[in-house]
Amino acid sequence: MKIFYSPVVVVILFLVFSCNSKSEKNEEDLKKTSEKVIPELRLHIDSLEVSKFYEDYPKLVKFQSEVLDLYKEKKSTQLWMDNKGVVEFGNTLFNKYKGLEAEGLRANFPYNEKINAVFDNIAENKLSKIDTDLMISNLYFYYVQKISGADEKTVTKLEWLLPRKKLDYKVFSDSIYEKATISDDKKRKMFSQYYKLRDALHRYREIEKKGGWKNVEVDEEFKSFKIGDSVDAIGQIRERLYITGDLKENDKSNVCDTTLIKAIKNYELHHGLTPKSIILKEHIDELNIPVSDRIKTIIANMERCRWIDPELEKGKEYIEVNIPEFRLYLIRDHEIAFVSPVVVGKAMTKTVIFSGMMNNIVFSPYWNVPTSIINKEIKPGMAKNKNYLAQKNLEWNNGAVRQVPGKNNSLGLVKFLFPNSNNIYLHDTPSKSLFERENRAFSHGCVRVGKPRELAIELLKQDPTWTPARIDKAMHAGKENWVSLKKKVPVYIGYFTAWVDRKGELNFYKDVYQRDESLIKLLTEE
């Protein structure tokens, strides 16, 4: 272990050994002066000592290159300690590490006992000063990695293809001694939804600590409750809604009244259900999902938020589609300018989680039938019926099949293109009744828009020549017409089963593609 002293310290030590004839007062003054200088001492940590550390602690080897770069950046000196012990920044980091549970993460550092001994049981810390400093540096990179979410390879395996901000440890290390970097996590500028879900997590954990909620018990023959019905289960529903704040006051009545129906409608609205004036079995099933499961759902979606580049939501105009919500939003100047229900892909033909840049609107479009549909549906249909193509308004086109424009076209009267390798786009549909359903996963992968005309009007506001009247005419012209947007619009297709809306209401949606379970397993196994 090498120790380097500054010239001032060398002079002080020389004076201590050569000036025994000085008065006690002078010696006392010298002692005070040395105390002011000695805390500035920093041990030198070179690459050989770093390598030896990882031989002793191999579970941390994935951070070796980052740790080496960090010490090189800081002139190979101690970062977290001085001769008095761990500096303030080190203690701040440890407190944040211990608080990972509040972030929906496990504080499971590979050498947990070692790091705890450094901070909680100082007398039990058997590490050398150099190893202690290196252990804290590894804790730092462990913490940064955790709060930044799963690595890109893992996220891609989970079929999440939205753009992600790459993790750059150097950005963190450049300001490693700035307290705000660690203690004020909002300085990290994470996706804003993350903080909203974190607050929701805290609220639901408080509910869990108080015992959660009891199941609403109904008979096997139960079909519905309506205003005027009186039974014990209605009192249980009232208590359940009161716990989550859907019902502001609980009078403990067992009679179903307008106040309870209003509360259950509010509950339905925030759980992907169509509000109704009666209480059905599906509502009871939803109410009986345990608080522990709701907490897991919140945690899974907090992790998804870690994968989102916060720069995305700073755009002036963009479209976002949340698959489990079956809804599309056009955001302009940070406000919701337009909302539409959507139909997404079936479980067997999932809509891909990705992004693109919308550049064209096509009125009265042809539908170029994908090869997979030709093989699975059209060819078998042709084999049974020689007039199949004509009856479906289909025609051959250079060896492929397309459907001619018109009201019966599968793409409806307009489509919205954002070029991508997944061949996914937004479009109208003649099957309007599907938008009335709660579960709207029916397509082959593309996103069907419930209000396509209104979306076209909104997107073409940038071009005054495209009036609503002209748009209507183009949609019903029966002739394909491509229109280029003057400014491309980003489109983000995401997957969130828990979401806090702009009114601060927590919403839960059904996991239509069963993606939550694998993500929760990934987070709990770490």
Side-chain angles (χ1 to χ4, degrees), residues 353-460:
I353 301 167
F354 78 113
S355 67
M357 296 296 289
M358 185 182 293
N359 58 357
N360 288 295
I361 298 177
V362 184
F363 295 111
S364 296
Y366 282 100
W367 177 40
N368 297 303
V369 184
T371 304
S372 59
I373 297 178
I374 293 174
N375 293 332
K376 291 180 181 179
E377 299 178 23
I378 293 178
K379 286 184 177 180
M382 291 172 62
K384 295 178 182 179
N385 179 4
K386 64 180 182 179
N387 295 319
Y388 182 86
L389 290 181
Q391 291 174 1
K392 298 289 185 180
N393 297 315
L394 297 168
E395 64 182 19
W396 287 103
N397 179 49
N398 297 323
V401 177
R402 68 181 183 181
Q403 191 174 36
V404 299
K407 64 179 183 179
N408 295 318
N409 187 285
S410 293
L411 303 185
L413 303 175
V414 59
K415 67 179 178 178
F416 308 84
L417 299 180
F418 42 107
N420 59 87
S421 60
N422 303 294
N423 196 29
I424 287 178
Y425 44 87
L426 309 178
H427 65 84
D428 181 21
T429 176
S431 304
K432 303 296 186 184
S433 62
L434 294 178
F435 294 104
E436 302 301 320
R437 300 192 185 186
E438 289 178 351
N439 187 324
R440 296 194 290 274
F442 296 104
S443 80
H444 289 93
C446 286
V447 178
R448 305 176 189 174
V449 182
K451 300 178 181 179
R453 173 183 179 271
E454 293 84 349
L455 178 58
I457 291 172
E458 284 291 336
L459 291 170
L460 289 172

Side-chain angles (χ1 to χ4, degrees), residues 188-425:
R188 295 189 62 247
K189 300 179 181 179
M190 290 180 70
F191 185 50
S192 62
Q193 182 64 202
Y194 176 85
Y195 302 107
K196 296 176 182 179
L197 286 174
R198 188 178 64 180
D199 291 342
L201 175 63
H202 175 73
R203 184 161 67 90
Y204 269 66
R205 279 180 168 165
E206 288 299 310
I207 292 174
E208 186 178 45
K209 286 178 183 177
K210 295 176 182 177
W213 50 72
K214 297 178 182 178
N215 275 358
V216 176
E217 298 178 357
V218 293
D219 297 333
E220 291 183 6
E221 297 80 18
F222 169 77
K223 292 186 178 179
S224 68
F225 290 136
K226 61 184 183 300
I227 292 177
D229 288 344
S230 179
V231 67
D232 289 347
I234 290 173
Q236 294 170 4
I237 294 172
R238 200 180 293 276
E239 173 67 19
R240 167 66 181 81
L241 293 173
Y242 177 71
I243 289 173
T244 49
D246 295 282
L247 189 64
K248 302 306 178 185
E249 295 182 8
N250 180 15
D251 61 10
K252 301 186 179 180
S253 170
N254 289 338
V255 179
C256 184
D257 55 17
T258 55
T259 300
L260 184 63
I261 291 298
K262 183 179 179 181
I264 201 73
K265 282 184 175 180
N266 183 64
Y267 180 87
E268 293 164 350
L269 187 65
H270 298 295
H271 289 76
L273 302 169
T274 303
K276 302 176 181 69
S277 296
I278 58 176
I279 301 173
L280 302 172
K281 180 65 166 61
E282 65 187 75
H283 304 143
I284 303 299
D285 292 341
E286 194 78 20
L287 289 166
N288 285 344
I289 293 175
V291 65
S292 58
D293 285 359
R294 292 302 192 193
I295 287 172
K296 289 177 183 177
T297 299
I298 294 170
I299 288 173
N301 286 278
M302 286 176 69
E303 175 66 11
R304 291 183 177 117
C305 287
R306 295 185 186 101
W307 307 341
I308 299 285
D309 187 340
E311 294 298 316
L312 298 187
E313 59 186 333
K314 295 179 182 179
K316 185 175 178 61
E317 183 177 54
Y318 59 91
I319 289 171
E320 59 184 39
V321 175
N322 185 18
I323 294 170
E325 187 183 359
F326 306 117
R327 203 166 294 277
L328 172 152
Y329 296 88
L330 173 62
I331 308 299
R332 184 180 292 130
D333 296 325
H334 311 294
E335 298 294 332
I336 297 174
F338 172 77
V339 183
S340 174
V342 298
V343 169
V344 299
K346 296 177 288 188
M348 294 300 292
T349 53
K350 299 180 181 70
T351 297
V352 181
I353 301 167
F354 78 113
S355 67
M357 296 296 289
M358 185 182 293
N359 58 357
N360 288 295
I361 298 177
V362 184
F363 295 111
S364 296
Y366 282 100
W367 177 40
N368 297 303
V369 184
T371 304
S372 59
I373 297 178
I374 293 174
N375 293 332
K376 291 180 181 179
E377 299 178 23
I378 293 178
K379 286 184 177 180
M382 291 172 62
K384 295 178 182 179
N385 179 4
K386 64 180 182 179
N387 295 319
Y388 182 86
L389 290 181
Q391 291 174 1
K392 298 289 185 180
N393 297 315
L394 297 168
E395 64 182 19
W396 287 103
N397 179 49
N398 297 323
V401 177
R402 68 181 183 181
Q403 191 174 36
V404 299
K407 64 179 183 179
N408 295 318
N409 187 285
S410 293
L411 303 185
L413 303 175
V414 59
K415 67 179 178 178
F416 308 84
L417 299 180
F418 42 107
N420 59 87
S421 60
N422 303 294
N423 196 29
I424 287 178
Y425 44 87

Side-chain angles (χ1 to χ4, degrees), residues 155-219:
V155 171
T156 302
K157 282 185 177 180
L158 293 171
E159 300 180 63
W160 185 278
L161 304 178
L162 281 173
R164 184 179 180 187
K165 188 175 183 178
K166 290 187 179 296
L167 178 60
D168 185 354
Y169 286 115
K170 192 175 184 302
V171 171
F172 291 89
S173 66
D174 284 344
S175 55
I176 198 168
Y177 286 116
E178 294 178 16
K179 186 176 180 181
T181 302
I182 299 172
S183 63
D184 183 4
D185 53 10
K186 291 193 179 184
K187 294 285 185 182
R188 295 189 62 247
K189 300 179 181 179
M190 290 180 70
F191 185 50
S192 62
Q193 182 64 202
Y194 176 85
Y195 302 107
K196 296 176 182 179
L197 286 174
R198 188 178 64 180
D199 291 342
L201 175 63
H202 175 73
R203 184 161 67 90
Y204 269 66
R205 279 180 168 165
E206 288 299 310
I207 292 174
E208 186 178 45
K209 286 178 183 177
K210 295 176 182 177
W213 50 72
K214 297 178 182 178
N215 275 358
V216 176
E217 298 178 357
V218 293
D219 297 333

